[in-house]
Amino acid sequence: QVQLVESGGGLVQAGGSLRLSCAASVSILSFTDMAWYRQAPGKQRELVAGLSSGGRTNYADSVKGRFTISRDNAKNMVYLQMNSLKPEDTAVYYCKARGGYAVESPLYWGQGTQVTVSS
């Protein structure tokens, strides 16, 4: 059974940095792509950063130049380095993995990790 476990969240002051980690229970090479999403109170979940199996990345405009998604295939880990954090980055951050290219391919989500940025 596929499990994704996020860690690394916490409370940080504006301008600070955090690195989120997502540990997969299976080889991340089995996924077609992985991504980080976030959901702030009262808002819809939104894509923060994506990473395809081929290494292509994409970012939300609001985090471009500040956040970096990366992976370690040997450790089955995906990371989100977050720099120059802003109060509006406060949210629960989720790791997501897609198990195939077909529309009906399974999606896997972690339980989320809270990031709070104080002003």
Side-chain angles (χ1 to χ4, degrees):
Q1 185 170 347
V2 176
Q3 288 187 321
L4 302 175
V5 179
E6 301 97 335
S7 61
L11 174 64
V12 64
Q13 288 188 331
S17 298
L18 283 175
R19 189 177 81 153
L20 304 184
S21 299
C22 173
S25 61
V26 299
S27 171
I28 62 173
L29 295 176
S30 65
F31 303 133
T32 53
D33 59 84
M34 298 189 73
W36 286 94
Y37 282 71
R38 67 185 180 188
Q39 187 167 19
K43 295 187 177 181
Q44 289 189 328
R45 192 172 296 190
E46 63 174 357
L47 175 68
V48 176
L51 176 61
S52 73
S53 57
R56 292 189 308 274
T57 59
N58 62 287
Y59 297 92
D61 288 342
S62 59
V63 308
K64 282 180 181 176
R66 299 188 298 123
F67 291 11
T68 303
I69 187 171
S70 63
R71 67 188 181 204
D72 185 328
N73 294 337
K75 295 182 179 179
N76 296 321
M77 298 285 290
V78 174
Y79 305 100
L80 185 67
Q81 178 66 44
M82 306 186 296
N83 299 327
S84 302
L85 283 161
K86 305 175 180 180
E88 51 263 43
D89 295 319
T90 295
V92 178
Y93 284 71
Y94 299 90
C95 179
K96 188 200 83 173
R98 181 181 298 275
Y101 292 104
V103 172
E104 63 271 20
S105 296
L107 297 178
Y108 306 100
W109 291 90
Q111 82 290 348
T113 186
Q114 176 71 47
V115 172
T116 303
V117 184
S118 63
S119 58

